[in-house]
Amino acid sequence: MPERIHDVTAYTGRRAPKHTSDATSYHCPCLPSSGKVLLFYRYFANPPRHPFLDSRQCLELARWHEETCTALNLTGKIRIAGEGFNVTVAGRDEEVEEYVKRCCAHRSFAGLRLGSKDETEKYFKPTPGCAHVFEELSVKITDEATPFSVTSYTPSDWITPPPGPAEEEDQSLITYLSPPAFHALLSSIPSDEKDKILLDTRNHYESSLGQFTTPTLAPHLPPIRKFSSLPAYLEPAKSTWEGKEVITYCTGGIRCEKAARYIADTLPVRRVYTLHGGIQSYLTWFSEQLRLGLVKPEHSVWKGRNYVFDARGSTGIEGDEGRVGMIGKCGLCGKEESAEVVGKCAVKGCHLVVLACKPCAEDKAATGKDWECCGVCVRMTAEARNGKRKGLCTCEQARVSRLNENNP
Ligand SMILES: [Zn+2]
Ligand SMILES: [Zn+2]
Ligand SMILES: [Zn+2]
Ligand SMILES: [Zn+2]
């Protein structure tokens, strides 16, 4: 075999066609809960600061992760950029533990408080899973740690995340909330609240599977397909969010690092609160409270399932499978409040994410039939399926019209 050439191009090309790289179902011969999936990131501009990486350092870091993960049989997705990194990897317990140990000793983690088990758990955010939830290990060098695509936008300020469980105010407009502080804030919104806005910064298919919501504060759910469409969605808020307090959340916190700052920098808001560690940290915290008998499932301000970018499809509150519930509609049989797994429309040029109930997904797996997002895609002939799509399917038409009507 020819030796792998280690230059930047080895980490910038696509291995799979666009929108097809994410596995949505998987076969796993592992014992249940014999492994973990990690989800973590770092923005170097966010204290404790670290100099941005130049292209040579990006390459070195990409190579280090690739070699370390390969040696430890980890799979997953690693994105390295000059501004920071965004990582989700999976494997067996001992090997994931060893990876965490090696990360903590690596210079790109310098300055982060990762001395205790509690600190590493909060930072790496392990959840049950195994190496089979990803098809492969994919290491890429990208322009941004997560694509926001606002040209030449660098947040004007990066503040220190809270050292402990308490929320921390800062000179800046942004306040990080720990999961219990976020829970307390959302649980105590009065019914006549006019100044607070709850904003889900994720994509529409993620928020339709699960979301934070309370009887007194419904979330804004942008009908966007990718994070880089968020700034355009927020454009009208320049005139409507004057003096508002915005509360943001996303899966693991990385998108809100940029979105919260973008809102603070460009919109006339009074304050931005953001959930530190994202939905995943909230679910871990709430699961622990539940395990200790300190809360009941119905106290959760999270409803539904947490969409994840691996073949598990979604995660939820541990020890409460199904009770806090499902809020998403199955895209295959139409059953309300049943969606917890994820597939993709098989029509080329569509590939929309389809949310489904478990029985439907199992039926597709057993019969080997294609997933389709709607009748338009179902009716496409085999020949047309592989050709170029003409016009939008019903789902996309509905989303685009929501986007046009739904001003924040
Ligand atoms: Zn497995
Ligand atoms: Zn179904
Ligand atoms: Zn489709
Ligand atoms: Zn469709």
Side-chain angles (χ1 to χ4, degrees):
M1 276 213 333
E3 198 186 320
R4 173 85 185 266
I5 300 163
H6 276 312
D7 63 10
V8 174
T9 57
Y11 294 103
T12 49
R14 283 190 173 276
R15 287 189 202 162
K18 207 176 179 186
H19 302 311
T20 59
S21 56
D22 297 337
T24 48
S25 66
Y26 66 110
H27 169 72
C28 169
C30 306
L31 290 168
S33 53
S34 61
K36 297 262 182 304
V37 181
L38 303 179
L39 177 68
F40 63 95
Y41 67 89
R42 180 175 194 178
Y43 274 120
F44 295 125
N46 197 0
R49 282 165 211 257
H50 183 287
F52 277 27
L53 305 183
D54 61 26
S55 55
R56 187 184 54 82
Q57 291 165 325
C58 283
L59 181 59
E60 277 172 10
L61 185 56
R63 199 180 297 168
W64 181 82
H65 276 289
E66 185 172 55
E67 286 169 4
T68 307
C69 290
T70 304
L72 294 170
N73 306 304
L74 305 189
T75 58
K77 283 179 256 187
I78 296 174
R79 300 294 174 261
I80 311 283
E83 66 180 13
F85 51 78
N86 186 13
V87 178
T88 178
V89 291
R92 281 197 290 271
D93 283 336
E94 322 78 71
E95 289 166 332
V96 166
E97 223 167 90
E98 177 61 25
Y99 173 73
V100 165
K101 223 166 82 189
R102 292 192 199 177
C103 282
C104 291
H106 191 266
R107 60 185 173 279
S108 62
F109 290 76
L112 297 170
R113 283 180 290 260
L114 298 170
S116 69
K117 184 152 176 65
D118 186 51
E119 285 167 339
T120 54
E121 297 252 313
K122 276 192 178 133
Y123 182 78
F124 291 98
K125 299 190 282 293
T127 48
C130 71
H132 300 101
V133 306
F134 296 106
E135 275 179 352
E136 57 176 6
L137 175 70
S138 151
V139 182
K140 281 179 190 163
I141 295 172
T142 50
D143 292 339
E144 294 178 281
T146 188
F148 194 51
S149 299
V150 177
T151 316
S152 72
Y153 169 67
T154 307
S156 66
D157 183 36
W158 296 81
I159 62 162
T160 316
E167 66 184 82
E168 188 179 86
E169 295 279 339
D170 193 272
Q171 303 305 90
S172 127
L173 290 183
I174 298 164
T175 304
Y176 281 93
L177 298 176
S178 63
F182 182 86
H183 179 85
L185 177 66
L186 284 198
S187 302
S188 62
I189 305 271
S191 56
D192 58 353
E193 176 63 53
K194 295 259 185 315
D195 285 339
K196 288 199 172 52
I197 284 171
L198 180 57
L199 174 70
D200 192 318
T201 62
R202 301 170 303 152
N203 300 324
H204 73 104
Y205 50 85
E206 300 175 79
S207 57
S208 52
L209 199 58
Q211 57 194 241
F212 285 107
T213 184
T214 77
T216 50
L217 192 64
H220 285 244
L221 308 171
I224 56 174
R225 271 181 82 177
K226 47 187 204 287
F227 184 51
S228 54
S229 302
L230 190 67
Y233 168 81
L234 290 173
E235 194 59 28
K238 285 181 177 166
S239 55
T240 54
W241 285 9
E242 172 93 54
K244 301 284 189 196
E245 296 190 331
V246 183
I247 307 164
T248 75
Y249 65 89
C250 64
T251 312
I254 186 168
R255 282 178 273 186
C256 284
E257 292 278 1
K258 260 195 188 162
R261 288 179 172 81
Y262 182 77
I263 291 165
D265 282 348
T266 61
L267 303 181
V269 299
R270 192 164 72 223
R271 178 149 290 280
V272 184
Y273 295 95
T274 187
L275 174 56
H276 195 221
I279 299 158
Q280 196 53 66
S281 290
Y282 180 86
L283 294 179
T284 300
W285 169 77
F286 194 87
S287 300
E288 179 66 4
Q289 300 295 297
L290 194 62
R291 199 181 63 76
L292 296 171
L294 300 172
V295 292
K296 294 214 167 85
E298 57 270 28
H299 296 150
S300 172
V301 288
W302 171 260
K303 307 291 175 206
R305 303 282 303 172
N306 175 34
Y307 184 101
V308 291
F309 291 84
D310 62 63
R312 290 174 300 169
S314 66
T315 61
I317 292 170
E318 282 168 52
D320 177 55
E321 298 315 323
R323 273 184 292 168
V324 160
M326 294 176 229
I327 62 164
K329 179 178 171 177
C330 174
L332 300 175
C333 69
K335 190 175 173 206
E336 300 283 350
E337 300 181 0
S338 72
E340 58 178 317
V341 287
V342 171
K344 280 195 180 156
C345 180
V347 174
K348 200 178 163 190
C350 178
H351 288 316
L352 285 185
V353 171
V354 182
L355 309 179
C357 68
K358 261 209 175 119
C360 282
E362 281 163 7
D363 178 60
K364 291 286 186 195
T367 58
K369 282 187 192 144
D370 281 348
W371 290 58
E372 292 101 357
C373 62
C374 64
V376 172
C377 285
V378 169
R379 285 189 296 275
M380 286 193 82
T381 61
E383 201 182 329
R385 279 180 183 227
N386 293 316
K388 214 166 170 53
R389 157 173 288 297
K390 297 174 205 73
L392 301 177
C393 72
T394 314
C395 323
E396 268 297 87
Q397 267 172 15
R399 184 187 70 83
V400 170
S401 73
R402 266 190 298 144
L403 189 58
N404 293 336
E405 292 157 15
N406 254 12
N407 286 335

